Amino acid sequence: MERYYQEDIECAPREKILEIQNKKIVEQVKHAWDNVPYYRAKMEEKGVTPEDIKGIDDLHKLPFLSKADLRDAYPTGLVGVPLKDCVRIHSTSGTTGKRIMGFYTKEDIELWSDCCARALTAAGATDEDVVQISYGYGLFTGGFGLHGGSEKLGCLTIPMSSGNTERQIMFIKDLSATVICCTPSYAAYLGETMKEMGLGPDDIPLKAGILGAEAWSEEMRRDIEKTMGIKAYDIYGLTELSGPGVAYECSAQNGMHINEDHFVAEIIDPNTGEVLPDGTKGELVFTSLDRKAFPLLRYRTRDICVLTREKCSCGRTHVKMAKPMGRSDDMLIIRGVNVFPSQIETVLLNNGYQANYQIIVDRKNNTDSLDVHVEMTPEMFTDDVNEINKRQADLVAGLKNMLGIKAKVTLVAPKSIERSEGKAVRVIDKRKI
């Protein structure tokens, strides 16, 4: 039997959803105009005032927000309430070293937790379940987001964070964890480790997994489900909007329901900004309807996907988004972390190298690897192994500081990286995702 956390909203008729959205968008635009000078200036530049926005049908009149805006307004230029009313921040990496921050009031966190509780309920969780949160905590939104949702449901919540695989498995067994929340690649690694320990699906109490923060294939889903004996559910979110729980899979597992009472989704042509009809592939744009501390309107995610309103067998009526099919920019997601080639380029230039490099991403044993090949300049070229090792170690440290994850660095001879039409091929992604 299908379960719901807030059935009256999750299964509401389209008319009710539109009524909620129309009311909230008017209030949110007025809130942003009155409290966020940065966004008010963007509206004035486009010749739009709050009086022009009567409902969702007027959304296209508003200007877009992009990551560039979030960097320009860093750290507090897009905050919509006094800082004393904010109770938390989360952060993701930016392309130039500046972090993309998200601010939250207490009410913002409550609404976010509700969204994650919906996702957990759609995966079959109840207050009888034990939920192990193996996403990272800290500035990353994954751990805290699902943690809040789990507690909302009344689940016994294990705040494991990521890593320490043996302890993860010990807690799963000893506390009879029934739901695991982590990245898909870590779930696969957990499953493989359990198998090596002689544990089969019947020996593992888990029944479901909420897996997100990185791209993963249907083949990977099936492998995880087979190895761990669980049903694996996808979840989508952005730090800029709140975190995980913007959209989530139900039992049908053929798209993620967007929480439309909190977020409005549009699909646009990434080149022209034109709004495209449902069912058309394009760039996903989100408007946050009731987040007061960070009221983002028409935020360009750069994710390419499709929206569909086909009736879902689960009974939920909210629009569904397909798995993102790629990016309209050059961002990579590696082990759940956003990585831009421009970040790597910044580190290289700051250390005296030229922008001749190649990023090689692969996935082995269900774990992403990041290799960076860097051309030495003619001046620094040497066959002194100790000197090369020292230079490589310095770059590894610089990249770890910039990206938040470790990369392998290989220094290569000048002009040894193949050019295409005079320009290096920057990224080689060998992952099958």
Side-chain angles (χ1 to χ4, degrees):
M1 185 181 75
E2 193 74 31
R3 293 191 179 95
Y4 311 99
Y5 176 66
Q6 295 166 318
E7 183 174 357
D8 59 330
I9 292 294
E10 293 172 63
C11 301
R14 184 73 193 144
E15 295 74 21
K16 182 175 180 180
I17 294 172
L18 284 173
E19 182 184 338
I20 292 170
Q21 290 182 332
N22 286 333
K23 180 176 183 293
K24 286 187 174 183
I25 191 62
V26 171
E27 295 172 352
Q28 186 74 317
V29 169
K30 183 70 163 56
H31 172 69
W33 175 274
D34 289 342
N35 297 286
V36 186
Y38 186 97
Y39 199 72
R40 179 173 182 165
K42 286 186 73 74
M43 288 178 65
E44 288 175 334
E45 185 180 342
K46 200 173 180 188
V48 185
T49 67
E51 289 70 32
D52 296 319
I53 309 301
K54 304 289 196 300
I56 295 303
D57 289 343
D58 295 323
L59 201 58
H60 68 278
K61 298 176 183 178
L62 294 170
F64 292 114
L65 277 176
S66 68
K67 266 198 169 64
D69 289 304
L70 270 62
R71 291 197 301 273
D72 290 346
Y74 175 92
T76 59
L78 286 168
V79 177
V81 298
L83 282 180
K84 70 179 181 63
D85 294 337
C86 295
V87 297
R88 192 193 298 171
I89 67 159
H90 282 287
S91 173
T92 185
S93 60
T95 61
T96 60
K98 279 189 178 179
R99 297 274 164 174
I100 302 300
M101 285 190 178
F103 291 74
Y104 303 75
T105 65
K106 186 176 181 180
E107 184 182 27
D108 291 339
I109 290 175
E110 289 295 315
L111 295 176
W112 177 23
S113 296
D114 283 338
C115 289
C116 289
R118 291 179 188 177
L120 282 158
T121 304
T126 71
D127 59 6
E128 299 287 334
D129 283 288
V130 178
V131 178
Q132 186 153 315
I133 313 293
S134 300
Y135 285 112
Y137 281 69
L139 290 173
F140 179 56
T141 56
F144 279 101
L146 272 303
H147 185 115
S150 178
E151 289 190 344
K152 278 266 187 174
L153 278 185
C155 304
L156 176 59
T157 307
I158 309 173
M160 286 295 295
S161 195
S162 54
N164 202 330
T165 302
E166 288 186 7
R167 187 175 64 185
Q168 297 269 2
I169 296 170
M170 180 183 76
F171 272 55
I172 288 170
K173 289 185 64 186
D174 293 351
L175 292 174
S176 297
T178 50
V179 180
I180 184 87
C181 301
C182 62
T183 63
S185 57
Y186 192 61
Y189 181 66
L190 277 172
E192 283 187 0
T193 305
M194 290 172 181
K195 192 174 181 180
E196 290 169 0
M197 295 170 65
L199 299 174
D202 293 340
D203 304 310
I204 304 167
L206 293 172
K207 66 179 184 182
I210 308 284
L211 314 180
E214 64 186 13
W216 54 309
S217 64
E218 287 301 314
E219 290 75 20
M220 189 174 185
R221 188 208 297 264
R222 286 193 291 271
D223 285 345
I224 292 169
E225 291 183 334
K226 181 179 178 182
T227 304
M228 302 183 78
I230 65 173
K231 190 163 184 177
Y233 295 81
D234 206 350
I235 191 168
Y236 178 89
L238 299 162
T239 300
E240 300 92 316
L241 290 169
S242 66
V246 172
Y248 60 91
E249 275 190 328
C250 61
S251 56
Q253 291 185 310
N254 61 357
M256 289 174 276
H257 289 283
I258 294 169
N259 283 309
E260 287 194 275
D261 54 323
H262 300 302
F263 307 99
V264 178
E266 301 172 90
I267 294 292
I268 65 166
D269 182 316
N271 297 314
T272 66
E274 176 193 1
V275 178
L276 302 174
D278 289 347
T280 307
K281 185 169 74 172
E283 182 184 339
L284 185 60
V285 171
F286 272 115
T287 292
S288 177
L289 288 172
D290 40 24
R291 186 172 171 193
K292 297 308 178 190
F294 214 60
L296 296 193
L297 305 175
R298 301 200 83 198
Y299 181 68
R300 295 187 63 164
T301 69
R302 299 294 180 181
D303 285 326
I304 301 297
C305 78
V306 174
L307 299 180
T308 177
R309 295 195 180 276
E310 290 181 7
K311 187 176 180 180
C312 186
S313 60
C314 78
R316 291 176 179 83
T317 53
H318 293 205
V319 68
K320 286 199 287 191
M321 58 175 280
K323 270 181 179 287
M325 304 166 188
R327 300 278 304 174
S328 63
D329 60 13
D330 58 357
M331 189 182 84
L332 296 162
I333 301 179
I334 300 171
R335 301 197 290 276
V337 175
N338 297 347
V339 174
F340 292 83
S342 54
Q343 289 175 298
I344 293 171
E345 187 167 302
T346 297
V347 173
L348 299 183
L349 294 173
N350 287 344
N351 281 273
Y353 296 83
Q354 295 177 349
N356 298 318
Y357 60 94
Q358 196 164 65
I359 303 165
I360 302 167
V361 185
D362 206 348
R363 181 170 285 174
K364 298 174 182 176
N365 298 322
N366 293 306
T367 300
D368 291 341
S369 62
L370 174 61
D371 292 355
V372 184
H373 290 190
V374 183
E375 283 188 1
M376 290 181 278
T377 64
E379 296 75 22
M380 67 175 62
F381 183 62
T382 177
D383 57 2
D384 184 333
V385 174
N386 290 331
E387 177 64 22
I388 290 174
N389 287 340
K390 181 182 180 303
R391 286 182 172 275
Q392 289 179 164
D394 289 342
L395 286 178
V396 167
L399 290 171
K400 176 74 183 295
N401 187 50
M402 171 67 83
L403 306 175
I405 59 173
K406 190 172 182 180
K408 178 184 176 184
V409 174
T410 303
L411 290 177
V412 298
K415 298 185 178 179
S416 60
I417 292 177
E418 183 179 349
R419 268 68 164 174
S420 176
E421 297 181 359
K423 184 178 179 181
V425 178
R426 292 289 185 229
V427 179
I428 299 174
D429 195 338
K430 298 181 178 179
R431 297 174 295 181
K432 294 179 173 61
I433 54 178

